[in-house]
Amino acid sequence: MRRIAGGIAVLVGLLMVAPVAPALSAQPGELDGFEYVSLGDSYSAGFGLIPFSQTSPFDAGGTTANGCYQADANYPHLVAADYSLSLTDRTCSGAVSPNLGFVAGAPLTLPPAGSLTLLPQLTLTSGAQTTMSGQTYPGLQADVLSTTTDIVTVAIGGNDLGFSDIAESCMRTSVGGGTTVLGMLLIAGYSVANCKDVYESTNPTYADFQLADRQSTYISPRIKAVFDEIATKAPNAQVFVVGYPQIAPPDATDACFHGGFPPITDGVPFSGVDISYIHQVQSALDGALRAEAAARGFRYVDTWAASADHTICSADSWIQKLDVISAASAPDPPCPADWLPLGYHGTTYFCMKLGALHPTVDGVAMLHQLTSAAIGDVFRIAIAGNPVPGGSLTVTGGGYYPGETVDVWLHSTPRQLGTAVAGADGSFSATFALRGDDPVGAHTVIATGLSSGHAFSAAVTIEHPATGSSGAPTALLLALCLVTAGFLLVSARRVRPSGPAR
């Protein structure tokens, strides 16, 4: 009988437990028209994708001379389309941190002035950008931020560190014993087996080019100064710092090398040592972005893990390799529409595939999906608690203005549950009492920020207190239990072994 009673108890427990399903993302239409500003460099602008956007910081004039190389299909445009956001896209290929803008009084320093130009020069002040086509960018990227900005995405630092310069200096014609790095030899006159020998050397000859010191001493403070400026100009925005996807794998061999330079097709003109070193350098930059985002209360969008199996050494690479083709031997020949001029090698002219070492369409799709999911996970509410008349609901939410009052209502017969106050990160959590006369059945909780007007909703079902269901009466539950108990008793008698004959 103990086993039968236990079975009945389990059955009653299963009938009465009705967990509340939380809202997992922003609901359709709830972010319509929100002000979204995207800031950053070529990884955000979509360098390498065509067509170019005619709504970029300046009109391309009906040509492809849009120096920002901002694409219609970059991830900010795709994210904006997901939620019907009002997008102001200020991303621009080649941007460095001062082009976004430093907060006033940022304590920045300059590295020692070397005799050779191997890495980009750094500045102490904000300044407008001159683009790859010689156009002057109209002001600082952060100038468009305001107190009404709702969402900001940003990625910066790669050009400050000098990723393109590093890649150029590491290019080589062959690998193996006795070979030297062609890029390093041509740019700086250094004859080394790997460019890592310069960027991570204790040799005082290369002291000006120590990337680890450049990152920690000079680049991280600039990232912080940009983030401080964003927080100052857009104090009510939810800011998402989008990390750079992996360009190179952590452990590579010379087998990853593909083709000499020039020309190369589907090229990876780096030694295994330098590929692994590029991974190490980039990992440090992403680590700095993550740390500075956390320190500022911004949200970090991690793209590192998702891109691990799609580096330049992968057959399914999400990073455009350094493809080079010969165009013609005549002076100044045109390159195809999606190729950039490199110049002559002997009597042959060469062009490089637009977007080398930048995300491909698949790579941009990954950036889009992760960023969109991160935004949808912030701008929402979720419900937990004991949803029965006389019980309680715990409502948590995000995407509100810091410190604003949030008005929480229960529908369909509207009544106010109460209010809560959003914290510094725009989120809140509060528990509200349900009344004894709150009707069982399906309802919607709506939480509205009184300053921002942001309103997010989540469904909840108020259950019958005795049955744990939205409509089954107590009598029905008791009848079900009695029927079940009778069935179990009859079954037990049928299988009971016969006693000895008397």
Side-chain angles (χ1 to χ4, degrees):
M1 284 299 296
R2 185 173 300 170
R3 181 176 299 174
I4 296 171
I8 296 173
V10 169
L11 174 63
V12 173
L14 289 174
L15 288 170
M16 296 189 69
V17 173
V20 178
L24 297 179
S25 185
Q27 301 299 309
E30 290 185 338
L31 272 62
D32 285 5
F34 275 32
E35 295 184 22
Y36 168 30
V37 175
S38 57
L39 310 173
D41 55 26
S42 53
Y43 270 61
S44 300
F47 179 65
L49 305 180
I50 52 177
F52 303 126
S53 173
Q54 296 300 307
T55 58
S56 62
F58 36 73
D59 196 310
T63 72
T64 58
N66 183 337
C68 281
Y69 287 95
Q70 193 185 98
D72 287 331
N74 64 15
Y75 78 79
H77 281 76
L78 300 176
V79 168
D82 287 343
Y83 297 109
S84 298
L85 305 174
S86 177
L87 172 64
T88 301
D89 190 352
R90 300 289 286 185
T91 59
C92 193
S93 297
V96 290
S97 55
N99 303 145
L100 275 69
F102 298 140
V103 71
L108 305 177
T109 57
L110 294 175
S115 59
L116 297 171
T117 303
L118 189 58
L119 295 172
Q121 297 296 312
L122 301 176
T123 67
L124 296 177
T125 58
S126 304
Q129 179 179 352
T130 300
T131 71
M132 296 168 62
S133 59
Q135 297 163 312
T136 299
Y137 193 100
L140 304 178
Q141 291 190 24
D143 285 347
V144 297
L145 299 174
S146 72
T147 57
T148 62
T149 303
D150 297 302
I151 299 169
V152 176
T153 57
V154 59
I156 198 65
N159 292 321
D160 297 76
L161 186 62
F163 260 134
S164 61
D165 304 84
I166 295 165
E168 185 178 354
S169 66
C170 293
M171 295 174 72
R172 59 199 307 136
T173 56
S174 61
V175 292
T179 61
T180 59
V181 185
L182 177 63
M184 190 66 71
L185 185 63
L186 294 178
I187 296 170
Y190 296 149
S191 179
V192 293
N194 299 286
C195 70
K196 180 182 178 181
D197 299 342
V198 171
Y199 291 128
E200 201 180 52
S201 173
T202 58
N203 186 332
T205 303
Y206 311 138
D208 295 342
F209 311 127
Q210 300 306 293
L211 291 180
D213 179 64
R214 182 180 177 91
Q215 170 63 67
S216 60
T217 306
Y218 306 110
I219 308 306
S220 288
R222 281 164 168 74
I223 293 172
K224 179 182 184 302
V226 170
F227 289 179
D228 288 346
E229 177 72 344
I230 292 172
T232 298
K233 288 192 170 181
N236 297 318
Q238 296 293 323
V239 182
F240 300 84
V241 178
V242 183
Y244 292 95
Q246 292 190 45
I247 296 174
D251 300 307
T253 66
D254 288 348
C256 188
F257 177 87
H258 190 178
F261 181 84
I264 50 178
T265 302
D266 189 25
V268 185
F270 310 115
S271 69
V273 169
D274 283 342
I275 286 173
S276 297
Y277 183 61
I278 290 170
H279 174 94
Q280 175 185 330
V281 170
Q282 191 193 0
S283 177
L285 176 59
D286 266 34
L289 286 168
R290 182 192 294 271
E292 295 300 338
R296 241 301 161 201
F298 295 168
R299 289 168 171 83
Y300 183 73
V301 180
D302 186 356
T303 68
W304 195 255
S307 57
D309 295 331
H310 302 280
T311 67
I312 54 173
C313 289
S314 169
D316 183 23
S317 177
W318 289 351
I319 300 295
Q320 175 64 49
K321 300 179 184 181
L322 288 96
D323 298 351
V324 177
I325 60 172
S326 59
S329 58
D332 196 23
C335 290
D338 54 347
W339 294 74
L340 291 175
L342 275 182
Y344 282 99
H345 178 68
T347 60
T348 305
Y349 198 86
F350 291 94
C351 303
M352 178 178 286
K353 179 75 171 179
L354 189 68
L357 298 185
H358 284 74
T360 63
V361 171
D362 288 337
V364 172
M366 178 267 300
L367 294 172
H368 160 221
Q369 291 165 6
L370 293 179
T371 305
S372 187
I375 291 172
D377 194 51
V378 169
F379 290 88
R380 66 181 181 94
I381 64 169
I383 312 295
N386 181 28
V388 297
S392 64
L393 295 179
T394 298
V395 183
T396 59
Y400 298 90
Y401 283 3
E404 77 170 319
T405 297
V406 180
D407 199 10
V408 183
W409 284 69
L410 179 68
H411 294 252
S412 52
T413 302
R415 81 167 183 86
Q416 186 185 45
L417 290 173
T419 62
V421 177
D425 65 350
S427 68
F428 76 91
S429 180
T431 299
F432 303 100
L434 291 173
R435 296 194 309 226
D437 60 351
D438 282 328
V440 299
H443 295 265
T444 300
V445 174
I446 301 176
T448 305
L450 297 186
S451 299
S452 64
H454 294 178
F456 308 116
S457 63
V460 64
T461 299
I462 296 180
E463 312 288 0
H464 195 284
T467 66
S469 69
S470 60
T474 304
L476 178 60
L477 175 63
L478 292 175
L480 180 60
C481 291
L482 289 173
V483 169
T484 303
F487 173 78
L488 293 174
L489 287 170
V490 170
S491 299
R493 289 172 178 167
R494 287 178 178 173
V495 299
R496 182 178 299 162
S498 302
R502 293 187 180 181

